[in-house]
Amino acid sequence: YVQGGDFGNMGTPVPVGQLGADYEVVGNNVRFKKIYRGANFDESRRGPLGEPGVDVRDGDFLLAIDGKPVNKNVNPNSLLVDKVGRTVILTVNSTASPTGARTVRVRPIGNEAQVRYYDFVESNRKWVAEKSGGRIGYMHIPNTQFEGAVEFTRGYWSQVDKDAMIVDERWNGGGYIQPWFVDTLARKIKAGIQVRNAKEHTADSVAIEGPKVMLINGYAGSGGDFFPWMFRAEKVGPLIGTRTWGGLVGISGGAPLVDGGGVTAPEFSIYDRETMEIIAENQGIAPDIEVDARPDLIAAGRDPQLEKAVEVLLEELKKNPPKKKGSTIPKVGKNGRIGG
């Protein structure tokens, strides 16, 4: 990589407040097409229009910001320059008329990426739950760095009651080697535990033992190449989608340049100890089931790769139904004994 210095000098950025919404022009006016309400327990994913007490709905017209009119010739962002984190007053109404309009106070954010990402994950999770009757879980792993570890922990432990799991690592930005991701997904319960005063058995560990699939695409690379390779090597389940990026060779530090920038060089490769071949580099990881994200389907609001994942898992659940929770009192085995 070449980074920083003259190459990366883009000037001083101007902070522009954002409301976490899609706009649309209707006649001479602007209205909220979709509001991303975010997760307001997390400041990095706070949706300004989703905070308690903010009465703004999808389809409402945005008539003014701090008293300055908004219309088809005035981009709302132009009135939010240097307003990040500062309270602004929005004038909104269910119609384009100022009659009956109301004002709300909000604090714009500086970047909508995490708010939109949260909506992407939650929308997919809810869609999968609906299509599978609540039997299939869904998690998205954005990278193999801190954020990816957080999303894996959140996605896995909150859905251990599911019969099957979709692991979506499309657009995975890589980072580090995270073998524990796959170690956790491949975990099996080794023994049951019978509590004296309970009918159902518990287990020695928490595990999702049902079928799993992983979604991949060409925008997943580095650690995002190694993750599906490990998933396949451990025979956790099939890979669905398109071939990954193919850039797993890593870097370590870099050399400074006189313009204040830097350059890195390939420092280490990751190889398969069985074949002695470098993994993924210049070829990526190919899917077991190839499904293209066709632009016409994406434009229509569909996700053919996610649809295929649900189809494959539901078929697998028909063939191999999950084990029912035990209720029969276990017997003393040949290696057991009665007493303390």
Side-chain angles (χ1 to χ4, degrees), residues 189-220:
I189 295 173
K190 299 172 182 61
I193 298 175
Q194 174 65 49
V195 181
R196 176 182 292 275
N197 297 311
K199 291 183 178 180
E200 291 187 347
H201 300 175
T202 60
D204 64 330
S205 65
V206 176
I208 302 173
E209 294 191 293
K212 304 172 188 71
V213 299
M214 176 177 282
L215 297 180
I216 60 174
N217 68 7
Y219 297 96

Side-chain angles (χ1 to χ4, degrees), residues 1 144 172-177 220-228 245-250 280:
Y1 299 99
T144 55
N172 186 296
Y176 306 110
I177 303 302
S222 190
D225 288 307
F226 193 54
F227 189 14
W245 181 50
L248 184 52
V249 166

Side-chain angles (χ1 to χ4, degrees), residues 170 213-217 238-242 287-291 304-306 308-310 312-313:
R170 295 175 295 178
V213 299
M214 176 177 282
L215 297 180
I216 60 174
N217 68 7
L239 306 177
I240 299 175
T242 54
D288 299 300
I289 304 172
E290 186 166 1
V291 179
Q305 294 166 338
L306 189 60
K308 185 65 175 179
V310 171
V312 168
L313 288 178

Side-chain angles (χ1 to χ4, degrees), residues 128 132 134-139 159 162-167 313:
V128 169
S132 66
R135 301 184 69 192
I136 302 175
Y138 168 89
M139 67 170 81
Q159 299 180 89
K162 302 300 182 183
D163 295 333
M165 177 61 71
I166 297 171
V167 183
L313 288 178

Side-chain angles (χ1 to χ4, degrees), residues 57-181:
R57 310 176 186 91
D58 291 358
D60 279 352
F61 286 85
L62 176 58
L63 303 179
I65 298 176
D66 284 339
K68 297 179 180 179
V70 175
N71 55 52
K72 68 177 183 180
N73 297 315
V74 179
N75 190 310
N77 289 344
S78 68
L79 302 178
L80 294 171
V81 174
D82 214 18
K83 297 290 181 72
V84 176
R86 299 170 60 182
T87 300
V88 300
I89 299 175
L90 309 181
T91 303
V92 298
N93 201 353
S94 57
T95 69
S97 170
T99 303
R102 61 191 184 280
T103 59
V104 294
R105 295 174 180 270
V106 299
R107 290 183 301 118
I109 54 179
N111 191 315
E112 293 178 341
Q114 283 299 308
V115 176
R116 291 174 179 269
Y117 173 73
Y118 181 79
D119 180 83
F120 163 78
V121 175
E122 282 299 290
S123 295
N124 283 350
R125 184 188 62 77
K126 291 175 182 177
W127 184 89
V128 169
E130 178 185 351
K131 295 299 179 181
S132 66
R135 301 184 69 192
I136 302 175
Y138 168 89
M139 67 170 81
H140 183 267
I141 313 301
N143 56 41
T144 55
Q145 301 176 54
F146 173 79
E147 296 84 1
V150 169
E151 291 304 315
F152 182 91
T153 302
R154 177 183 287 127
Y156 183 86
W157 294 99
S158 65
Q159 299 180 89
V160 292
D161 61 328
K162 302 300 182 183
D163 295 333
M165 177 61 71
I166 297 171
V167 183
D168 188 352
E169 78 109 44
R170 295 175 295 178
W171 304 282
N172 186 296
Y176 306 110
I177 303 302
Q178 300 278 22
W180 69 273
F181 284 8

